[in-house]
Amino acid sequence: MTSQLLSSSSLLSSSIPTLGSHLPPPNSLHFLQPSRPNPRLLRAPWKGGTLRPAKSKISITCLAADRGGAARWASWIPRRVYPEKILRLISGATSSPICQFIESPRTFLHCIDPRIKLVWLLALVVLPARSHIYMRFGLVLYLSILSIWILPTHIWMDQLGRVALLSGILFIMLGFGSDGVPPLVQLRTPPASLSGLSCLPSSLAGYAYTIMKLGPLQFTRKGLSVASTSACLTFTIFQSASLCLMTTTPEQLASAFRWFMVPLTFIGVPVAEIILTLLLSLRFINLVFDEVRNVALGIVARRIQWHKLTIMETLDVCFMYVHRIFKNIFSHAEQISKAMVARGFRGGSNTHKIYLFSESSLGIGDFLSLLCLLGLIGAAILSEQLLF
């Protein structure tokens, strides 16, 4: 039995040829690679035997880093900003007094006559635009040191940071934007070699119109002049006005304006109405900032789940916030008008006596401040003539 099985297995093995016995050696024959179909051309349904190009699809995949952490591109994706963060920023920005009178600590700037302060404000508006760049940055440094000396720590840190950020952004934008892109123009005059004129010698002092290049943009001397003038003027206007309002009561400012505007009454200018409007405006600034802060804090205290709201519901809350602010402001204005009517005001500023509680006496500090102002104006004039 075993002999029959062995004979049958030998017959089976001899009848099935092996693959290696029929293939020639690889050195004796070159194998042809099978032709691969072009993935961009697919045979369409029968339309005259034409071929139609296939639409290529591009798939983009984002892979994490090889070291197991998140990829760098993941940190670049902006996360969703909820309105609660914006409301917290608004409430924090208006928490410090802005353009409000600070009674304590009392400094020498509180004792300066308000008329001299107005003259200083006018000079600080004109000087940055008409003086040298050194004087502009000198005025910025002077106002910064004066703010640190006069104002409390939490107030000057908040104010100087915001004003410096605004001025810095303005400086960068105007520095690279005013003369940043060079014009592609061709000179109409022929070069000196063709006209027979001698070439101009190069500057020995190393003068260069272009100060810095940043890609296609360039920072030139014209851009530096425009940017420094605008940034320094913005800083001086905001910070000087803030210092004046924080060290002077609204009644003193209204009295100083009336002293300067008295000659305009001879030509029919309603000085009394203008002064009353100015006084009410200065008193109303505090109410506006208080209402903006209180309404923002009220919405934040309600702990609204912003991620569960739709876009329309979020816009509805924002519109309600603005509506509440204006409603409270108009309510305060109505209360002020009722209080003025109850005190006898009937709309005529000439017939109604306004007590401003102003003191017109000048002291030693006022004369010293006038001398400093004259010295500053003289230094600005000399710098314009000598340094240009």
Side-chain angles (χ1 to χ4, degrees):
M1 184 68 180
T2 54
S3 60
Q4 292 178 358
L5 290 175
L6 289 175
S7 61
S8 62
S9 61
S10 61
L11 290 174
L12 289 175
S13 60
S14 60
S15 63
I16 300 175
T18 59
L19 184 61
S21 61
H22 290 274
L23 291 179
N27 296 331
S28 62
L29 183 65
H30 293 283
F31 294 97
L32 297 177
Q33 297 291 336
S35 60
R36 297 179 180 178
N38 191 357
R40 301 183 59 86
L41 294 175
L42 296 178
R43 186 173 297 277
W46 178 255
K47 291 183 180 180
T50 59
L51 295 178
R52 181 180 298 175
K55 295 182 180 180
S56 60
K57 296 182 180 180
I58 301 175
S59 60
I60 301 175
T61 57
C62 298
L63 300 178
D66 296 335
R67 297 183 178 180
R72 291 183 179 180
W73 56 266
S75 60
W76 299 343
I77 300 175
R79 299 182 181 275
R80 185 178 179 183
V81 179
Y82 296 108
E84 184 177 359
K85 297 181 180 180
I86 301 176
L87 294 174
R88 289 183 183 274
L89 290 176
I90 292 174
S91 60
T94 57
S95 59
S96 60
I98 301 175
C99 301
Q100 301 178 19
F101 176 70
I102 300 177
E103 187 175 359
S104 62
R106 190 171 181 83
T107 60
F108 76 96
L109 203 58
H110 290 76
C111 304
I112 302 297
D113 193 89
R115 294 170 291 182
I116 299 177
K117 293 179 183 179
L118 292 181
V119 175
W120 266 94
L121 286 179
L122 180 61
L124 290 176
V125 171
V126 177
L127 288 179
R130 302 297 304 171
S131 59
H132 196 265
I133 185 173
Y134 294 150
M135 286 297 300
R136 298 169 196 165
F137 288 107
L139 288 175
V140 171
L141 182 62
Y142 165 72
L143 286 176
S144 302
I145 295 175
L146 188 62
S147 301
I148 295 173
W149 185 15
I150 297 299
L151 301 178
T153 305
H154 67 282
I155 296 178
W156 69 258
M157 290 182 65
D158 187 26
Q159 286 192 358
L160 287 181
R162 298 179 189 276
V163 178
L165 178 61
L166 177 62
S167 303
I169 294 174
L170 190 63
F171 181 84
I172 295 174
M173 292 177 61
L174 292 178
F176 286 99
S178 59
D179 196 20
V181 181
L184 299 176
V185 296
Q186 185 178 4
L187 296 177
R188 295 185 178 182
T189 58
S193 60
L194 296 179
S195 59
L197 299 176
S198 59
C199 297
L200 295 176
S202 59
S203 177
L204 300 178
Y207 175 82
Y209 181 71
T210 303
I211 301 176
M212 184 181 62
K213 286 188 177 181
L214 185 62
L217 302 178
Q218 61 181 2
F219 192 78
T220 60
R221 292 183 179 270
K222 178 184 176 181
L224 177 61
S225 177
V226 174
S228 61
T229 302
S230 302
C232 294
L233 187 61
T234 302
F235 187 90
T236 52
I237 288 176
F238 278 98
Q239 197 59 31
S240 60
S242 178
L243 282 174
C244 182
L245 292 174
M246 287 187 172
T247 57
T248 313
T249 59
E251 291 81 8
Q252 290 177 347
L253 285 177
S255 175
F257 271 105
R258 186 175 65 175
W259 188 84
F260 284 109
M261 296 178 67
V262 163
L264 298 179
T265 56
F266 297 102
I267 58 176
V269 177
V271 177
E273 285 82 357
I274 294 175
I275 296 303
L276 180 60
T277 305
L278 175 65
L279 182 60
L280 292 176
S281 302
L282 293 175
R283 286 295 188 88
F284 209 73
I285 293 176
N286 304 341
L287 297 176
V288 172
F289 283 109
D290 289 341
E291 287 300 328
V292 171
R293 179 174 179 269
N294 292 335
V295 177
L297 288 177
I299 297 178
V300 172
R302 283 168 172 80
R303 305 294 296 176
I304 300 176
Q305 296 180 359
W306 298 97
H307 61 279
K308 294 184 178 180
L309 299 181
T310 61
I311 297 178
M312 297 303 299
E313 292 174 348
T314 305
L315 292 177
D316 188 16
V317 175
C318 295
F319 282 119
M320 182 187 65
Y321 170 66
V322 178
H323 174 264
R324 176 61 64 179
I325 290 175
F326 280 100
K327 183 179 179 181
N328 294 346
I329 288 175
F330 285 129
S331 177
H332 282 294
E334 185 179 1
Q335 293 175 5
I336 291 174
S337 64
K338 290 181 180 179
M340 293 177 66
V341 170
R343 286 165 175 79
F345 184 76
R346 295 297 181 268
S349 300
N350 294 321
T351 59
H352 189 79
K353 181 65 175 178
I354 301 175
Y355 296 94
L356 298 176
F357 302 101
S358 62
E359 298 179 0
S360 59
S361 60
L362 297 177
I364 300 177
D366 300 326
F367 289 105
L368 290 177
S369 61
L370 284 177
L371 290 177
C372 294
L373 179 60
L374 293 176
L376 182 63
I377 295 175
I381 295 174
L382 290 177
S383 66
E384 186 179 1
Q385 295 179 355
L386 297 178
L387 298 178
F388 272 106

